[in-house]
Amino acid sequence: VLNYLSFSGIDGLIPVCVPKNSDIGQLKPADIYKENMHKPCLAQHAAFIVQQDKGNAEWLRNEFYRLQYFVDGYVNRYRDRTTGLYFWQNDVMIGVDNDPCTFFRPDRSSASIFLNCMMYKELKAMEYLSDRLDYKEIAGEYEKEAEKLKTAIQENCWDERDGFFYSVDLNLRAISSNKETYHGGAPRSWNCLIQRIDVWSGFLAMWAGIATPEQAKRMVEEHYDNKNTFNAPYGIRTLSKMEKMYSLKASGNPSNWLGPIWGVSNYLVWRGLVKYGYKKEAKELATKTILLFGQDYRRTGSLHEYYQPSNGLPILNPGFQDWNMLVINM
């Protein structure tokens, strides 16, 4: 955390990757409004460390202003003022590489549900850290920002028709101030368009605690339990099997999030099920994930990056460990 924060200046930009013996001058893009930076999870990592150390945040005190620069960089450069949602600058280094809601879409147009749930948790982590450092007023500011974002997600990303949380499209032509013959009588009254693409990231609204109990019930019954869409013998498909983009082929840069099973998505969906009290479903998903990795390790002697949903066979990258180790928590 401190290594990354050492690269944070007043604009809050922290690179996605920090090579050894590099400096910010080498890593800073020419236009910070055109490239993505470190994911909004740095405050969460810091909060986890503090929590594990019984609330001691003193190690962070002298660098906390840098963490504020970073989070405020997202608030200032990645937030759509009309909807209150956060967007990616482009489709590079977004964590879920080829999510169709962002992949090959216009820059600054995708208010990704993945990004917005991560950002909500990042703001809540800043609230927690501020409180631990006795910055009560600052904690209150981040609490307000988090609540504003939660409201924006509820208003714009929840789809009552489908009972699921979706990414939204911000790529709308501006309303002209001049009178338009065929538009001026009733210009658009909506600020975004919902993207009804069934991506696993919608379940992050449960992981983040954004979904209401009623919404969570619909998500579990209509989406988690549905074997025609997400539910597979070895976990949660990263893209619904019903989507036209569904594909299990091996690819790297981008890695494939168009349906394969990933350990991290299984884990985060599991956390949401646990949070909302769905013990039966959580146990089922934990068991599937344990069998997935146990089968792979027994067969190949290692783990892989992602897997086939129906039979659990690995698709790519033997030796991949990383977030697969989260299965221990499950």
Side-chain angles (χ1 to χ4, degrees):
V1 171
L2 294 177
N3 282 342
Y4 270 109
L5 288 181
S6 69
F7 284 82
S8 178
I10 196 166
D11 58 16
L13 184 133
I14 296 180
V16 173
C17 179
V18 177
K20 187 178 180 181
N21 299 325
S22 57
D23 60 60
I24 190 62
Q26 296 171 290
L27 303 175
K28 193 169 184 175
D31 188 341
I32 61 176
Y33 288 88
K34 289 187 176 180
E35 293 188 27
N36 293 320
M37 63 175 181
H38 191 294
K39 311 296 185 304
C41 60
L42 196 55
Q44 294 175 71
H45 286 149
F48 175 77
I49 294 167
V50 170
Q51 191 178 52
Q52 294 294 300
D53 196 24
K54 300 178 182 179
N56 175 29
E58 286 305 311
W59 62 273
L60 184 61
R61 184 175 295 280
N62 291 339
E63 302 298 321
F64 186 63
Y65 75 97
R66 294 183 182 272
L67 190 56
Q68 292 181 77
Y69 283 159
F70 167 68
V71 174
D72 291 350
Y74 266 99
V75 174
N76 295 330
R77 294 197 304 280
Y78 289 71
R79 183 174 57 174
D80 175 57
R81 295 299 187 267
T82 309
T83 61
L85 295 172
Y86 289 78
F87 55 80
W88 292 117
Q89 302 290 351
N90 57 33
D91 66 350
V92 178
M93 299 293 183
I94 61 171
V96 282
D97 297 15
N98 55 4
D99 174 354
C101 301
T102 305
F103 193 56
F104 271 83
R105 296 210 65 255
D107 292 356
R108 300 167 66 85
S109 70
S110 174
S112 160
I113 187 64
F114 176 91
L115 171 62
N116 280 278
C117 288
M118 290 288 288
M119 193 65 204
Y120 174 74
K121 291 281 279 187
E122 191 78 341
L123 291 166
K124 295 298 289 182
M126 288 297 287
E127 177 191 349
Y128 168 75
L129 292 169
S130 300
D131 185 67
R132 296 311 307 166
L133 291 168
D134 204 28
Y135 297 138
K136 304 298 184 186
E137 291 186 35
I138 296 174
E141 291 180 23
Y142 284 113
E143 180 183 21
K144 289 177 185 175
E145 287 291 345
E147 286 306 305
K148 280 167 32 181
L149 178 54
K150 184 177 183 179
T151 299
I153 294 171
Q154 281 284 352
E155 289 180 352
N156 296 291
C157 301
W158 171 254
D159 183 34
E160 185 62 25
R161 188 189 78 176
D162 289 1
F164 204 57
F165 282 90
Y166 292 117
S167 299
V168 302
D169 177 18
L170 303 173
N171 191 32
L172 305 180
R173 185 159 54 83
I175 299 172
S176 175
S177 57
N178 300 321
K179 186 174 181 180
E180 298 183 22
T181 304
Y182 296 106
H183 298 85
R188 64 173 171 85
S189 58
W190 52 93
N191 296 314
C192 60
L193 289 173
I194 203 161
Q195 293 179 294
R196 289 191 174 99
I197 301 172
D198 283 337
V199 180
W200 77 275
S201 310
F203 290 108
L204 288 178
M206 292 176 62
W207 163 76
I210 292 169
T212 66
E214 295 76 20
Q215 289 169 338
K217 185 173 187 293
R218 289 195 63 187
M219 293 169 71
V220 171
E221 293 178 355
E222 299 174 31
H223 297 278
Y224 173 81
D225 286 337
N226 191 339
K227 290 179 171 56
N228 292 319
T229 57
F230 288 110
N231 196 300
Y234 284 89
I236 292 296
R237 296 182 180 93
T238 45
L239 183 71
S240 163
K241 190 169 64 170
M242 301 293 286
E243 295 290 352
K244 291 184 181 295
M245 298 79 75
Y246 184 77
S247 171
L248 302 180
K249 69 179 181 181
S251 70
N253 286 334
S255 294
N256 189 358
W257 293 82
L258 296 177
I261 302 292
W262 286 69
V264 66
S265 44
N266 270 10
Y267 175 76
L268 290 169
V269 174
W270 174 82
R271 284 293 299 263
L273 292 169
V274 170
K275 185 186 289 278
Y276 283 80
Y278 289 92
K279 294 183 179 179
K280 171 178 157 291
E281 291 81 2
K283 183 176 181 180
E284 172 196 77
L285 186 51
T287 301
K288 287 179 177 181
T289 311
I290 292 165
L291 291 173
L292 172 72
F293 291 138
Q295 171 182 288
D296 189 20
Y297 190 73
R298 184 177 65 237
R299 189 178 287 163
T300 70
S302 67
L303 303 182
H304 288 71
E305 189 174 15
Y306 51 88
Y307 297 82
Q308 294 187 58
S310 58
N311 58 21
L313 290 176
I315 297 177
L316 198 69
N317 288 341
F320 186 90
Q321 295 187 121
D322 209 278
W323 44 51
N324 288 347
M325 295 297 104
L326 291 168
V327 70
I328 296 168
N329 292 359
M330 298 171 77

